[in-house]
Amino acid sequence: MTLKLHNFFRSSTSTRLRAALNLKGLDYDYVPYALRDGQTRTPEYLRRNPQGLVPTLEREDGSHLTQSLAIIEWLEETHPEPALLPKDADGRARVRALAHMVALEIHPLNNLRVLFYLRDEFAADEAAQKQWFTHWVTLTFDALEATLADSPETGTYCHGDTPTLADLCLYAQVWNNKRFDIALDKWPTIARIFAALDSLPAFNDAAPPNQPDAA
Amino acid sequence: MTLKLHNFFRSSTSTRLRAALNLKGLDYDYVPYALRDGQTRTPEYLRRNPQGLVPTLEREDGSHLTQSLAIIEWLEETHPEPALLPKDADGRARVRALAHMVALEIHPLNNLRVLFYLRDEFAADEAAQKQWFTHWVTLTFDALEATLADSPETGTYCHGDTPTLADLCLYAQVWNNKRFDIALDKWPTIARIFAALDSLPAFNDAAPPNQPDAA
């Protein structure tokens, strides 16, 4: 038995978790779900994850963990090395705040079920969906760029020279942005960090196009 | 010098943090901001919090912490008692997942700047805003109710018989729901836990109507 990752190649919360598992050196079976086909709305899947969301991490004992950031915190507590959070409380607060800027202020607004709602209830066409998506990315990336560029704590990555929880969220979000062709020109620090992350096998192996269910 | 909490009475992320500070027995100065008047978009405030969001916790040394969940995790690490997370990794994963269901799947979709966008870009009137708000609350509260009702780990509160991070998020969200008169009848376990929390001074003192800037 090994870990099973119930996920979807393009899901940004799945990308975060795949990279975390890779960084921790944990092997897992990849179980893909086609979100557009409702494969996470079946009774069987809802028993694993009552929200019908990906990712869900199924453990060796058959129990399930949900919510990507909660799972990553669990990984950090149960497999501490290599660390995804700094040792000091101030550094941990900074890393979590950077991660949450992306995970709470961008991603929840831009996932598939929200775009579907806009399409169905507000007749939002592709252009209106792109404007919505880009608006929330821009609001937070402007603030994130300023925060990263201004701080001596920013290094090769978001916090120093080893990847952290913040980088997991940033990396996955930049991949998500490609859905609407959002370039990084306005955000040079974010672009630099993304390129550094993308050169690491743990991240690149987690990228959407490199998954078995990629179109 | 004492802690300063830059916040807004009705902000649900502020309510979470106020209750956490109360539970930890930490005194703070209350600094209110009228969100609708753009008081968090001033250059002075943006230096504290580049996202222009509340809450921001200003520490005794003048430094600032942002993002409510990151601040609460910092409080937990620096002031461990009373604990807002269980001691065991599995329990911590459950509490964080419950907290994140609310904090990531409801709140980011329903805050003021999102409702303003819907009004301005999609001509969403009060009824359409209510429908949007209620939709995201219902999706997650249905799953949360099932999760809480099915689990032997649920106690007086979301996890056992002492309040946790999950309760902070739940309590603040139920207050937020009152904005659109969303009743709890469909979710008896959530209603029971909210009532239990509301009887605790640490929570009740943090409730929106009990703040100095409440209308």
Side-chain angles (χ1 to χ4, degrees), chain A residues 6-185:
Chain A
H6 301 271
N7 80 137
F8 175 55
F9 78 103
R10 196 183 269 146
S11 145
S12 137
T13 50
S14 298
T15 302
R16 274 179 212 158
L17 181 52
R18 290 192 299 259
L21 289 163
N22 293 345
L23 283 166
K24 295 292 190 186
L26 296 171
D27 200 21
Y28 58 88
D29 289 340
Y30 188 104
V31 188
Y33 291 78
L35 296 192
R36 284 182 185 268
D37 298 341
Q39 292 181 356
T40 60
R41 307 296 314 166
T42 64
E44 186 195 350
Y45 189 77
L46 290 171
R47 277 193 296 275
R48 302 183 195 284
N49 182 324
Q51 289 191 282
L53 297 174
V54 287
T56 299
L57 187 65
E58 184 173 343
R59 294 186 287 187
E60 288 86 344
D61 66 359
S63 65
H64 297 89
L65 296 177
T66 63
Q67 285 291 336
S68 64
L69 294 184
I71 301 172
I72 295 169
E73 295 269 2
W74 174 83
L75 283 174
E76 182 72 358
E77 293 177 355
T78 54
H79 301 79
E81 299 298 333
L84 300 176
L85 289 170
K87 296 292 177 223
D88 61 307
D90 276 23
R92 294 162 76 87
R94 179 173 184 265
V95 167
R96 287 197 180 102
L98 294 172
H100 292 191
M101 286 173 75
V102 172
L104 280 85
E105 314 295 349
I106 302 177
H107 177 264
L109 290 153
N110 285 353
N111 67 21
L112 210 54
R113 65 184 189 176
V114 175
L115 299 178
F116 284 173
Y117 187 104
L118 295 175
R119 179 195 68 193
D120 297 341
E121 300 293 331
F122 294 117
D125 60 11
E126 184 77 7
Q129 291 177 39
K130 178 176 178 166
Q131 185 187 320
W132 164 276
F133 191 107
T134 307
H135 176 76
W136 303 114
V137 169
T138 302
L139 260 186
T140 295
F141 268 28
D142 283 351
L144 188 61
E145 174 68 26
T147 303
L148 291 170
D150 285 353
S151 170
E153 297 177 293
T154 305
T156 306
Y157 308 112
C158 288
H159 191 84
D161 297 323
T162 54
T164 62
L165 176 68
D167 297 297
L168 296 172
C169 294
L170 178 71
Y171 184 74
Q173 185 59 50
V174 172
W175 271 106
N176 214 20
N177 291 354
K178 293 176 192 277
R179 175 192 182 88
F180 284 110
D181 297 322
I182 300 175
L184 291 179
D185 311 350

Side-chain angles (χ1 to χ4, degrees), chain B residues 65-162:
Chain B
L65 296 177
T66 62
Q67 284 291 336
S68 65
L69 294 184
I71 302 173
I72 295 169
E73 294 270 3
W74 174 84
L75 283 173
E76 182 72 359
E77 293 177 357
T78 55
H79 301 79
E81 299 299 332
L84 300 177
L85 289 170
K87 296 292 177 222
D88 61 307
D90 276 24
R92 295 162 77 86
R94 179 173 184 266
V95 166
R96 287 198 180 102
L98 295 171
H100 292 191
M101 286 174 75
V102 172
L104 280 86
E105 313 294 348
I106 302 177
H107 177 263
L109 289 152
N110 285 353
N111 67 20
L112 211 53
R113 66 183 188 176
V114 175
L115 299 178
F116 284 173
Y117 188 104
L118 295 175
R119 180 194 68 193
D120 297 341
E121 300 292 331
F122 294 116
D125 60 12
E126 184 77 7
Q129 290 177 40
K130 178 174 179 169
Q131 186 187 320
W132 163 276
F133 191 107
T134 306
H135 176 76
W136 302 115
V137 169
T138 303
L139 259 187
T140 295
F141 269 28
D142 284 351
L144 188 61
E145 174 69 24
T147 303
L148 291 170
D150 286 352
S151 170
E153 298 177 294
T154 305
T156 306
Y157 308 112
C158 288
H159 191 85
D161 296 324
T162 54

